[in-house]
Coordinates of all heavy atoms in Angstrom, one line a residue:
M1 N -8.2 -22.0 31.2 CA -8.3 -20.6 31.5 C -8.3 -20.6 33.0 O -9.0 -21.3 33.7 CB -9.6 -20.1 30.9 CG -9.9 -18.7 31.3 SD -10.6 -17.9 29.8 CE -10.3 -16.2 30.3
A2 N -7.7 -19.6 33.6 CA -7.6 -19.5 35.1 C -8.3 -18.2 35.5 O -8.4 -17.2 34.8 CB -6.2 -19.5 35.5
S3 N -8.8 -18.2 36.7 CA -9.5 -17.1 37.3 C -8.8 -16.7 38.6 O -8.2 -17.6 39.2 CB -11.0 -17.3 37.4 OG -11.2 -18.4 38.3
A4 N -9.0 -15.5 39.0 CA -8.4 -15.1 40.3 C -9.1 -15.7 41.5 O -10.3 -15.7 41.6 CB -8.4 -13.6 40.4
G5 N -8.4 -16.3 42.3 CA -9.0 -16.9 43.5 C -8.7 -16.1 44.7 O -8.4 -14.9 44.6
P6 N -8.7 -16.7 45.9 CA -8.5 -15.9 47.2 C -7.0 -15.5 47.2 O -6.1 -16.2 46.8 CB -8.8 -16.9 48.3 CG -8.8 -18.3 47.6 CD -9.1 -18.1 46.2
E7 N -6.8 -14.3 47.7 CA -5.5 -13.7 47.8 C -4.7 -13.6 46.5 O -3.5 -13.7 46.5 CB -4.6 -14.5 48.8 CG -5.3 -14.5 50.2 CD -4.5 -15.3 51.2 OE1 -3.4 -15.7 50.9 OE2 -5.0 -15.6 52.3
G8 N -5.4 -13.5 45.4 CA -4.8 -13.2 44.1 C -4.3 -14.5 43.4 O -3.7 -14.4 42.3
A9 N -4.4 -15.7 44.1 CA -3.9 -16.9 43.4 C -4.8 -17.3 42.3 O -6.0 -17.1 42.4 CB -3.8 -18.0 44.5
E10 N -4.2 -17.8 41.2 CA -5.0 -18.3 40.1 C -5.6 -19.7 40.3 O -4.8 -20.6 40.8 CB -4.2 -18.2 38.8 CG -3.9 -16.8 38.4 CD -3.4 -16.7 37.0 OE1 -3.5 -17.7 36.2 OE2 -2.9 -15.7 36.6
V11 N -6.9 -19.8 40.1 CA -7.5 -21.1 40.2 C -8.0 -21.6 38.8 O -8.7 -20.8 38.1 CB -8.7 -21.0 41.2 CG1 -9.5 -22.3 41.3 CG2 -8.3 -20.5 42.5
A12 N -7.7 -22.8 38.5 CA -8.1 -23.3 37.1 C -9.5 -23.6 37.1 O -10.1 -24.2 38.1 CB -7.2 -24.6 36.8
Q13 N -10.2 -23.3 36.0 CA -11.6 -23.6 35.8 C -11.7 -25.0 35.3 O -10.9 -25.5 34.5 CB -12.3 -22.6 34.9 CG -12.4 -21.2 35.4 CD -13.1 -20.3 34.3 OE1 -12.9 -20.5 33.2 NE2 -13.8 -19.3 34.8
T14 N -12.8 -25.7 35.6 CA -13.1 -26.9 35.0 C -13.8 -26.7 33.6 O -14.1 -25.6 33.3 CB -14.1 -27.8 35.9 OG1 -15.4 -27.1 35.9 CG2 -13.6 -28.0 37.3
A15 N -13.9 -27.7 32.8 CA -14.5 -27.6 31.5 C -15.9 -27.1 31.6 O -16.4 -26.3 30.8 CB -14.4 -28.9 30.7
T16 N -16.6 -27.6 32.6 CA -18.1 -27.3 32.8 C -18.2 -25.8 33.1 O -19.1 -25.1 32.6 CB -18.7 -28.1 33.8 OG1 -18.5 -29.5 33.5 CG2 -20.2 -27.8 34.0
E17 N -17.3 -25.3 34.0 CA -17.4 -23.9 34.4 C -17.0 -23.0 33.2 O -17.7 -21.9 33.0 CB -16.4 -23.6 35.5 CG -16.8 -24.2 36.8 CD -15.7 -24.2 37.9 OE1 -14.5 -23.9 37.5 OE2 -16.0 -24.3 39.1
Y18 N -16.1 -23.4 32.4 CA -15.6 -22.6 31.2 C -16.8 -22.5 30.2 O -17.1 -21.4 29.8 CB -14.4 -23.3 30.6 CG -13.9 -22.5 29.4 CD1 -13.1 -21.4 29.6 CD2 -14.2 -22.9 28.1 CE1 -12.6 -20.7 28.5 CE2 -13.7 -22.3 27.0 CZ -12.9 -21.2 27.2 OH -12.4 -20.5 26.1
V19 N -17.4 -23.6 29.9 CA -18.5 -23.6 28.9 C -19.7 -22.8 29.5 O -20.3 -22.0 28.8 CB -18.9 -25.1 28.6 CG1 -20.2 -25.1 27.7 CG2 -17.8 -25.7 27.8
S20 N -20.0 -23.0 30.7 CA -21.2 -22.3 31.4 C -20.9 -20.8 31.3 O -21.8 -20.0 31.0 CB -21.4 -22.7 32.8 OG -21.7 -24.1 32.8
H21 N -19.7 -20.4 31.6 CA -19.4 -18.9 31.6 C -19.6 -18.4 30.2 O -20.2 -17.3 30.0 CB -17.9 -18.7 32.0 CG -17.4 -17.3 31.8 ND1 -17.8 -16.3 32.6 CD2 -16.6 -16.8 30.8 CE1 -17.3 -15.2 32.1 NE2 -16.5 -15.5 31.1
H22 N -19.1 -19.1 29.1 CA -19.1 -18.5 27.8 C -20.5 -18.6 27.1 O -20.8 -17.9 26.2 CB -18.0 -19.2 26.9 CG -16.7 -18.6 27.3 ND1 -16.2 -17.4 26.8 CD2 -15.7 -19.1 28.0 CE1 -15.0 -17.2 27.3 NE2 -14.7 -18.2 28.0
L23 N -21.3 -19.6 27.6 CA -22.7 -19.6 27.1 C -23.6 -18.6 27.7 O -24.7 -18.3 27.2 CB -23.3 -21.0 27.2 CG -22.7 -22.1 26.3 CD1 -23.3 -23.5 26.6 CD2 -22.8 -21.7 24.9
G24 N -23.2 -18.0 28.8 CA -24.0 -17.0 29.5 C -23.8 -15.6 28.9 O -24.7 -14.8 29.0
F25 N -22.7 -15.4 28.2 CA -22.5 -14.0 27.7 C -22.7 -14.1 26.2 O -22.6 -15.1 25.5 CB -21.1 -13.6 28.0 CG -20.9 -13.4 29.5 CD1 -20.5 -14.4 30.3 CD2 -21.4 -12.3 30.2 CE1 -20.4 -14.3 31.7 CE2 -21.3 -12.1 31.5 CZ -20.8 -13.1 32.3
L26 N -23.0 -12.9 25.6 CA -23.4 -12.8 24.2 C -24.6 -13.7 23.9 O -24.7 -14.3 22.8 CB -22.2 -13.2 23.3 CG -21.2 -12.0 23.0 CD1 -20.1 -12.5 22.1 CD2 -21.9 -10.8 22.4
T27 N -25.5 -13.7 24.8 CA -26.8 -14.4 24.6 C -27.9 -13.3 24.5 O -28.0 -12.4 25.3 CB -27.1 -15.3 25.8 OG1 -26.1 -16.3 26.0 CG2 -28.4 -16.0 25.6
F28 N -28.6 -13.4 23.4 CA -29.7 -12.5 23.1 C -31.0 -13.1 23.3 O -31.3 -14.2 22.8 CB -29.5 -11.9 21.6 CG -30.5 -10.8 21.3 CD1 -30.2 -9.5 21.7 CD2 -31.6 -11.1 20.6 CE1 -31.0 -8.5 21.4 CE2 -32.5 -10.0 20.3 CZ -32.2 -8.7 20.7
G29 N -32.0 -12.4 23.9 CA -33.3 -13.0 24.1 C -34.2 -12.0 24.9 O -33.8 -10.9 25.2
K30 N -35.3 -12.5 25.3 CA -36.3 -11.7 26.0 C -36.0 -11.8 27.5 O -35.9 -12.9 28.1 CB -37.7 -12.2 25.8 CG -38.8 -11.3 26.2 CD -40.2 -11.8 25.9 CE -40.8 -11.1 24.8 NZ -42.2 -11.4 24.6
T31 N -35.8 -10.6 28.1 CA -35.5 -10.6 29.5 C -36.7 -10.7 30.4 O -37.8 -10.7 29.9 CB -34.7 -9.2 29.9 OG1 -35.6 -8.2 29.5 CG2 -33.4 -9.1 29.1
Y32 N -36.5 -10.8 31.7 CA -37.6 -11.0 32.6 C -38.7 -9.9 32.6 O -39.8 -10.1 32.8 CB -37.1 -11.2 34.0 CG -36.4 -10.0 34.6 CD1 -37.1 -9.0 35.3 CD2 -35.1 -9.8 34.4 CE1 -36.4 -7.9 35.8 CE2 -34.4 -8.7 34.9 CZ -35.1 -7.7 35.6 OH -34.5 -6.6 36.0
D33 N -38.3 -8.7 32.2 CA -39.2 -7.5 32.1 C -39.9 -7.4 30.8 O -40.6 -6.4 30.5 CB -38.5 -6.2 32.5 CG -37.4 -5.9 31.7 OD1 -37.0 -6.6 30.7 OD2 -36.8 -4.8 31.9
G34 N -39.6 -8.3 29.8 CA -40.3 -8.3 28.5 C -39.6 -7.6 27.4 O -40.0 -7.6 26.3
H35 N -38.4 -7.0 27.7 CA -37.6 -6.4 26.7 C -36.6 -7.4 26.1 O -36.2 -8.3 26.7 CB -36.9 -5.2 27.2 CG -37.8 -4.1 27.7 ND1 -38.3 -4.0 28.9 CD2 -38.3 -3.0 27.0 CE1 -39.1 -2.9 29.0 NE2 -39.1 -2.3 27.8
W36 N -36.3 -7.1 24.8 CA -35.3 -7.9 24.1 C -33.9 -7.3 24.4 O -33.7 -6.1 24.2 CB -35.6 -8.0 22.7 CG -36.8 -8.9 22.4 CD1 -38.1 -8.4 22.4 CD2 -36.8 -10.2 22.2 NE1 -38.9 -9.5 22.1 CE2 -38.2 -10.6 22.0 CE3 -35.8 -11.2 22.1 CZ2 -38.6 -11.9 21.7 CZ3 -36.2 -12.5 21.8 CH2 -37.6 -12.9 21.6
G37 N -32.9 -8.1 24.6 CA -31.5 -7.6 24.8 C -30.6 -8.7 25.2 O -30.9 -9.9 25.1
F38 N -29.3 -8.3 25.5 CA -28.3 -9.3 25.8 C -28.3 -9.6 27.3 O -28.6 -8.7 28.1 CB -26.9 -8.7 25.4 CG -26.7 -8.7 24.0 CD1 -26.9 -7.5 23.2 CD2 -26.2 -9.8 23.3 CE1 -26.7 -7.5 21.9 CE2 -26.0 -9.8 21.9 CZ -26.2 -8.7 21.2
A39 N -27.9 -10.8 27.6 CA -27.8 -11.3 29.0 C -26.5 -10.7 29.6 O -25.5 -10.6 28.9 CB -27.8 -12.8 29.1
H40 N -26.6 -10.3 30.9 CA -25.4 -9.8 31.6 C -24.9 -10.8 32.6 O -23.9 -10.5 33.3 CB -25.8 -8.5 32.2 CG -26.2 -7.4 31.3 ND1 -25.4 -6.8 30.4 CD2 -27.5 -6.9 31.0 CE1 -26.1 -5.9 29.7 NE2 -27.3 -6.0 30.0
S41 N -25.5 -11.9 32.7 CA -25.0 -13.0 33.6 C -25.5 -14.3 33.1 O -26.4 -14.4 32.3 CB -25.5 -12.7 35.0 OG -26.9 -12.8 35.1
V42 N -25.0 -15.4 33.7 CA -25.4 -16.7 33.4 C -26.9 -16.9 33.8 O -27.7 -17.6 33.1 CB -24.5 -17.7 34.0 CG1 -25.0 -19.2 33.8 CG2 -23.1 -17.6 33.5
E43 N -27.3 -16.3 34.9 CA -28.6 -16.5 35.4 C -29.6 -15.8 34.5 O -30.7 -16.3 34.2 CB -28.7 -15.8 36.8 CG -28.0 -16.6 37.9 CD -26.5 -16.3 37.9 OE1 -26.1 -15.3 37.4 OE2 -25.8 -17.2 38.4
E44 N -29.3 -14.6 34.0 CA -30.2 -13.9 33.0 C -30.3 -14.8 31.7 O -31.4 -14.9 31.2 CB -29.6 -12.6 32.6 CG -30.0 -11.5 33.7 CD -29.5 -10.1 33.2 OE1 -29.4 -9.9 31.9 OE2 -29.3 -9.3 34.0
A45 N -29.2 -15.4 31.3 CA -29.3 -16.2 30.1 C -30.2 -17.4 30.3 O -30.9 -17.8 29.4 CB -27.9 -16.6 29.7
A46 N -30.1 -18.0 31.5 CA -30.9 -19.2 31.8 C -32.4 -18.8 31.9 O -33.3 -19.5 31.5 CB -30.4 -19.8 33.1
A47 N -32.7 -17.6 32.4 CA -34.0 -17.1 32.5 C -34.7 -16.8 31.2 O -35.9 -16.7 31.1 CB -34.1 -15.9 33.4
M48 N -33.8 -16.5 30.2 CA -34.4 -16.2 28.8 C -35.0 -17.5 28.2 O -35.9 -17.4 27.3 CB -33.3 -15.7 27.9 CG -32.8 -14.3 28.2 SD -31.5 -13.8 27.1 CE -31.2 -12.2 27.7
G49 N -34.6 -18.6 28.6 CA -35.3 -19.9 28.2 C -34.7 -20.4 26.9 O -33.7 -20.0 26.4
F50 N -35.6 -21.2 26.2 CA -35.2 -21.9 25.0 C -35.0 -21.0 23.8 O -34.2 -21.2 23.0 CB -36.3 -22.9 24.7 CG -36.1 -23.7 23.4 CD1 -35.1 -24.7 23.4 CD2 -36.8 -23.4 22.2 CE1 -34.9 -25.4 22.2 CE2 -36.5 -24.0 21.1 CZ -35.6 -25.1 21.0
W51 N -35.7 -19.9 23.7 CA -35.7 -19.0 22.6 C -34.6 -18.0 22.6 O -34.5 -17.1 21.7 CB -37.0 -18.3 22.4 CG -38.1 -19.3 22.0 CD1 -39.1 -19.7 22.8 CD2 -38.2 -20.0 20.8 NE1 -39.8 -20.7 22.1 CE2 -39.3 -20.9 20.9 CE3 -37.4 -20.1 19.6 CZ2 -39.7 -21.7 19.9 CZ3 -37.8 -20.9 18.6 CH2 -38.9 -21.7 18.7
S52 N -33.6 -18.1 23.5 CA -32.5 -17.2 23.5 C -31.5 -17.7 22.5 O -31.4 -18.9 22.1 CB -31.8 -17.2 24.9 OG -31.4 -18.5 25.2
I53 N -30.7 -16.8 21.9 CA -29.7 -17.1 20.9 C -28.3 -16.8 21.4 O -28.1 -15.7 21.8 CB -30.0 -16.3 19.6 CG1 -31.4 -16.7 19.1 CG2 -29.0 -16.5 18.6 CD1 -31.9 -15.8 17.9
N54 N -27.4 -17.8 21.3 CA -26.0 -17.5 21.6 C -25.4 -16.9 20.3 O -25.1 -17.5 19.3 CB -25.3 -18.8 21.9 CG -25.8 -19.4 23.2 OD1 -26.3 -18.6 24.1 ND2 -25.6 -20.7 23.4
V55 N -25.2 -15.6 20.4 CA -24.7 -14.8 19.2 C -23.3 -15.3 18.8 O -23.1 -15.4 17.6 CB -24.7 -13.3 19.6 CG1 -24.2 -12.5 18.4 CG2 -26.1 -12.9 20.0
D56 N -22.4 -15.6 19.7 CA -21.1 -16.0 19.2 C -21.2 -17.3 18.5 O -20.5 -17.5 17.5 CB -20.1 -16.0 20.4 CG -20.6 -16.9 21.6 OD1 -21.8 -17.2 21.6 OD2 -19.8 -17.1 22.5
S57 N -22.0 -18.3 18.9 CA -22.2 -19.5 18.2 C -22.8 -19.3 16.8 O -22.3 -20.0 15.9 CB -23.1 -20.5 19.0 OG -22.5 -20.8 20.3
M58 N -23.7 -18.4 16.7 CA -24.3 -18.1 15.4 C -23.3 -17.5 14.5 O -23.3 -17.8 13.3 CB -25.5 -17.2 15.6 CG -26.7 -17.9 16.3 SD -27.3 -19.3 15.5 CE -28.0 -18.6 14.0
M59 N -22.5 -16.6 15.0 CA -21.5 -15.9 14.1 C -20.5 -17.0 13.6 O -20.1 -16.9 12.4 CB -20.7 -14.8 14.9 CG -21.7 -13.7 15.3 SD -22.3 -12.8 13.9 CE -21.0 -11.8 13.6
I60 N -20.0 -17.9 14.5 CA -19.1 -18.9 14.0 C -19.7 -19.8 13.0 O -19.1 -20.2 12.0 CB -18.5 -19.7 15.2 CG1 -17.6 -18.8 16.1 CG2 -17.8 -20.9 14.8 CD1 -16.4 -18.3 15.4
S61 N -21.0 -20.2 13.2 CA -21.7 -21.0 12.3 C -21.8 -20.4 10.9 O -21.6 -21.0 9.9 CB -23.1 -21.4 12.8 OG -23.0 -22.1 14.0
L62 N -22.2 -19.1 10.9 CA -22.3 -18.4 9.6 C -20.9 -18.3 8.9 O -20.8 -18.4 7.7 CB -22.9 -17.0 9.9 CG -24.4 -16.9 10.2 CD1 -24.8 -15.5 10.6 CD2 -25.2 -17.4 9.0
L63 N -19.9 -18.0 9.7 CA -18.6 -17.9 9.1 C -18.1 -19.2 8.5 O -17.6 -19.2 7.4 CB -17.6 -17.4 10.2 CG -16.1 -17.3 9.8 CD1 -16.0 -16.1 8.8 CD2 -15.2 -17.1 11.0
L64 N -18.3 -20.3 9.2 CA -17.9 -21.6 8.6 C -18.8 -22.0 7.4 O -18.3 -22.5 6.5 CB -18.0 -22.7 9.7 CG -17.0 -22.6 10.8 CD1 -17.2 -23.7 11.9 CD2 -15.6 -22.8 10.2
G65 N -20.1 -21.6 7.5 CA -21.0 -21.9 6.3 C -20.5 -21.1 5.1 O -20.4 -21.7 4.0
I66 N -20.2 -19.9 5.3 CA -19.7 -19.1 4.1 C -18.4 -19.6 3.6 O -18.1 -19.7 2.4 CB -19.6 -17.6 4.6 CG1 -20.9 -17.0 4.8 CG2 -18.8 -16.8 3.5 CD1 -20.9 -15.6 5.4
L67 N -17.5 -20.0 4.5 CA -16.2 -20.6 4.1 C -16.4 -21.9 3.3 O -15.8 -22.0 2.2 CB -15.4 -20.9 5.4 CG -14.0 -21.6 5.1 CD1 -13.0 -20.6 4.5 CD2 -13.5 -22.1 6.4
F68 N -17.2 -22.8 3.8 CA -17.4 -24.0 3.0 C -18.1 -23.8 1.7 O -17.8 -24.4 0.7 CB -18.2 -25.0 3.9 CG -17.4 -25.7 4.9 CD1 -17.6 -25.5 6.2 CD2 -16.4 -26.6 4.6 CE1 -16.8 -26.1 7.2 CE2 -15.6 -27.2 5.5 CZ -15.8 -26.9 6.8
V69 N -19.1 -22.9 1.6 CA -19.8 -22.6 0.4 C -18.8 -22.0 -0.6 O -18.7 -22.3 -1.8 CB -21.0 -21.7 0.6 CG1 -21.5 -21.1 -0.7 CG2 -22.1 -22.4 1.3
G70 N -17.9 -21.1 -0.1 CA -16.9 -20.5 -1.0 C -15.9 -21.5 -1.5 O -15.5 -21.5 -2.7
V71 N -15.4 -22.5 -0.7 CA -14.5 -23.5 -1.1 C -15.2 -24.4 -2.1 O -14.6 -24.7 -3.2 CB -14.0 -24.3 0.1 CG1 -13.2 -25.6 -0.3 CG2 -13.1 -23.4 1.0
F72 N -16.4 -24.8 -1.9 CA -17.1 -25.7 -2.8 C -17.4 -25.0 -4.1 O -17.2 -25.6 -5.2 CB -18.4 -26.3 -2.2 CG -18.1 -27.5 -1.3 CD1 -17.5 -27.3 -0.1 CD2 -18.5 -28.7 -1.7 CE1 -17.3 -28.4 0.7 CE2 -18.3 -29.8 -0.9 CZ -17.7 -29.7 0.3
R73 N -17.7 -23.7 -4.1 CA -18.0 -23.0 -5.3 C -16.7 -22.8 -6.1 O -16.7 -22.9 -7.3 CB -18.5 -21.6 -4.9 CG -18.9 -20.8 -6.1 CD -19.4 -19.4 -5.7 NE -19.2 -18.5 -6.8 CZ -20.1 -18.0 -7.6 NH1 -21.3 -18.2 -7.3 NH2 -19.8 -17.2 -8.6
L74 N -15.6 -22.6 -5.4 CA -14.3 -22.5 -6.1 C -14.0 -23.8 -6.9 O -13.5 -23.7 -8.0 CB -13.2 -22.1 -5.1 CG -11.8 -22.0 -5.7 CD1 -11.7 -20.8 -6.6 CD2 -10.8 -21.9 -4.6
C75 N -14.2 -24.8 -6.2 CA -14.0 -26.2 -6.8 C -14.9 -26.4 -8.0 O -14.4 -26.9 -9.0 CB -14.1 -27.3 -5.8 SG -13.8 -28.9 -6.4
I76 N -16.2 -26.0 -7.9 CA -17.1 -26.3 -9.0 C -16.7 -25.4 -10.2 O -16.8 -25.8 -11.3 CB -18.5 -26.0 -8.5 CG1 -19.0 -27.0 -7.5 CG2 -19.5 -25.8 -9.6 CD1 -20.3 -26.7 -6.8
K77 N -16.3 -24.2 -9.9 CA -16.0 -23.2 -11.0 C -14.8 -23.7 -11.8 O -14.7 -23.5 -13.0 CB -15.7 -21.9 -10.4 CG -15.5 -20.8 -11.4 CD -15.2 -19.5 -10.6 CE -15.0 -18.3 -11.6 NZ -14.7 -17.1 -11.0
N78 N -13.8 -24.4 -11.1 CA -12.6 -24.9 -11.8 C -12.6 -26.4 -12.1 O -11.6 -26.9 -12.4 CB -11.4 -24.5 -10.9 CG -11.2 -23.1 -10.7 OD1 -11.5 -22.3 -11.6 ND2 -10.7 -22.7 -9.5
A79 N -13.8 -27.0 -12.0 CA -13.9 -28.4 -12.2 C -13.7 -28.8 -13.7 O -14.2 -28.1 -14.6 CB -15.2 -28.9 -11.7
T80 N -13.0 -29.9 -13.9 CA -12.9 -30.4 -15.3 C -13.1 -32.0 -15.2 O -12.8 -32.6 -14.2 CB -11.5 -30.2 -15.9 OG1 -10.5 -30.8 -15.0 CG2 -11.2 -28.7 -16.0
V81 N -13.6 -32.5 -16.3 CA -13.8 -33.9 -16.4 C -12.6 -34.7 -16.8 O -12.3 -35.7 -16.3 CB -15.0 -34.2 -17.3 CG1 -15.2 -35.7 -17.5 CG2 -16.3 -33.6 -16.9
E82 N -11.8 -34.1 -17.8 CA -10.7 -34.8 -18.3 C -9.5 -34.9 -17.4 O -8.9 -36.0 -17.3 CB -10.2 -34.0 -19.6 CG -11.1 -33.9 -20.7 CD -12.2 -32.8 -20.5 OE1 -11.9 -31.8 -19.8 OE2 -13.3 -32.9 -21.1
N83 N -9.2 -33.8 -16.6 CA -8.1 -33.9 -15.7 C -8.4 -33.2 -14.4 O -8.1 -32.1 -14.1 CB -6.9 -33.1 -16.4 CG -5.6 -33.3 -15.6 OD1 -5.5 -34.1 -14.8 ND2 -4.6 -32.4 -15.9
P84 N -9.1 -34.0 -13.5 CA -9.5 -33.4 -12.2 C -8.3 -33.1 -11.3 O -7.3 -33.9 -11.3 CB -10.4 -34.4 -11.6 CG -10.1 -35.7 -12.3 CD -9.6 -35.3 -13.6
S85 N -8.3 -32.0 -10.6 CA -7.2 -31.7 -9.7 C -7.4 -32.5 -8.4 O -8.4 -33.1 -8.2 CB -7.2 -30.2 -9.4 OG -8.4 -29.9 -8.7
M86 N -6.3 -32.5 -7.6 CA -6.4 -33.2 -6.3 C -7.5 -32.6 -5.4 O -8.2 -33.3 -4.8 CB -5.0 -33.2 -5.6 CG -5.0 -34.0 -4.3 SD -3.5 -34.0 -3.5 CE -3.3 -32.4 -2.9
F87 N -7.6 -31.3 -5.5 CA -8.6 -30.5 -4.7 C -10.0 -31.0 -5.2 O -10.9 -31.2 -4.3 CB -8.4 -29.0 -4.9 CG -9.3 -28.2 -4.1 CD1 -9.3 -28.2 -2.7 CD2 -10.2 -27.3 -4.7 CE1 -10.1 -27.4 -2.0 CE2 -11.1 -26.6 -4.0 CZ -11.0 -26.6 -2.6
Q88 N -10.2 -31.1 -6.5 CA -11.5 -31.5 -7.0 C -11.8 -33.0 -6.5 O -12.9 -33.3 -6.2 CB -11.5 -31.5 -8.5 CG -12.8 -31.9 -9.1 CD -12.8 -31.8 -10.6 OE1 -12.0 -31.1 -11.2 NE2 -13.8 -32.4 -11.3
N89 N -10.8 -33.8 -6.5 CA -11.0 -35.2 -6.1 C -11.4 -35.3 -4.6 O -12.3 -36.1 -4.2 CB -9.7 -36.0 -6.3 CG -9.5 -36.3 -7.8 OD1 -10.5 -36.4 -8.6 ND2 -8.3 -36.5 -8.2
I90 N -10.8 -34.4 -3.8 CA -11.1 -34.4 -2.4 C -12.6 -33.9 -2.2 O -13.3 -34.5 -1.4 CB -10.1 -33.5 -1.6 CG1 -8.7 -34.1 -1.6 CG2 -10.6 -33.2 -0.2 CD1 -7.6 -33.2 -1.1
I91 N -13.0 -32.9 -2.9 CA -14.3 -32.4 -2.7 C -15.3 -33.4 -3.2 O -16.4 -33.6 -2.6 CB -14.5 -31.0 -3.5 CG1 -13.6 -29.9 -2.9 CG2 -15.9 -30.6 -3.5 CD1 -13.8 -29.6 -1.5
E92 N -15.0 -34.1 -4.3 CA -15.9 -35.1 -4.9 C -16.1 -36.3 -3.9 O -17.1 -36.8 -3.7 CB -15.5 -35.6 -6.2 CG -15.7 -34.6 -7.3 CD -15.3 -35.1 -8.7 OE1 -14.8 -36.2 -8.8 OE2 -15.4 -34.3 -9.7
S93 N -15.0 -36.6 -3.2 CA -15.0 -37.7 -2.3 C -15.9 -37.3 -1.0 O -16.5 -38.2 -0.5 CB -13.6 -38.2 -1.9 OG -13.0 -37.2 -1.1
I94 N -15.8 -36.0 -0.7 CA -16.6 -35.6 0.5 C -18.1 -35.6 0.1 O -19.0 -36.0 0.8 CB -16.2 -34.2 0.9 CG1 -14.8 -34.2 1.5 CG2 -17.2 -33.5 1.8 CD1 -14.2 -32.9 1.8
A95 N -18.4 -35.1 -1.2 CA -19.8 -35.0 -1.6 C -20.4 -36.4 -1.8 O -21.6 -36.6 -1.7 CB -19.8 -34.2 -2.9
E96 N -19.6 -37.4 -2.2 CA -20.1 -38.7 -2.4 C -20.3 -39.4 -1.1 O -21.0 -40.1 -0.7 CB -19.3 -39.5 -3.3 CG -19.3 -39.0 -4.7 CD -18.4 -39.7 -5.7 OE1 -17.7 -40.7 -5.3 OE2 -18.3 -39.4 -6.8

């Protein structure tokens, strides 16, 4: 990802800058004045401390959890002992 540098030239971000930028936004926690809310900068996110929650990370975790539970449930619902499908064999090898 590139950002605007001096005189409109684009400057590439390092991996550390990219991750620091994205972990600072969509962070929910207790602000310095005692109210709960979203951080508006990386500094505010850092000031929230350990108990702040990265909302985008939580949403992706929930989405992937629901996806995996759905896939495993589908496999369990259609499981047979006599003639297991390739999909059932893959899920069983993951579970074992």
Side-chain angles (χ1 to χ4, degrees):
M1 176 141 201
S3 62
E7 300 177 11
E10 290 193 14
V11 178
Q13 291 179 329
T14 65
T16 304
E17 291 171 341
Y18 181 80
V19 170
S20 296
H21 169 76
H22 286 281
L23 288 179
F25 296 93
L26 277 178
T27 301
F28 186 82
K30 192 180 254 188
T31 59
Y32 63 91
D33 60 357
H35 293 93
W36 290 87
F38 287 98
H40 299 290
S41 68
V42 176
E43 292 78 22
E44 280 186 24
M48 288 179 177
F50 177 76
W51 293 108
S52 62
I53 297 173
N54 292 337
V55 178
D56 53 347
S57 297
M58 292 300 292
M59 295 296 277
I60 292 296
S61 297
L62 287 172
L63 179 69
L64 287 175
I66 291 169
L67 177 73
F68 282 113
V69 167
V71 167
F72 276 71
R73 181 180 157 115
L74 178 68
C75 181
I76 289 169
K77 187 176 179 182
N78 298 326
T80 61
V81 177
E82 297 82 24
N83 189 15
S85 65
M86 184 176 73
F87 183 63
Q88 181 180 345
N89 287 332
I90 291 170
I91 297 298
E92 286 181 2
S93 67
I94 291 172
E96 291 177 3

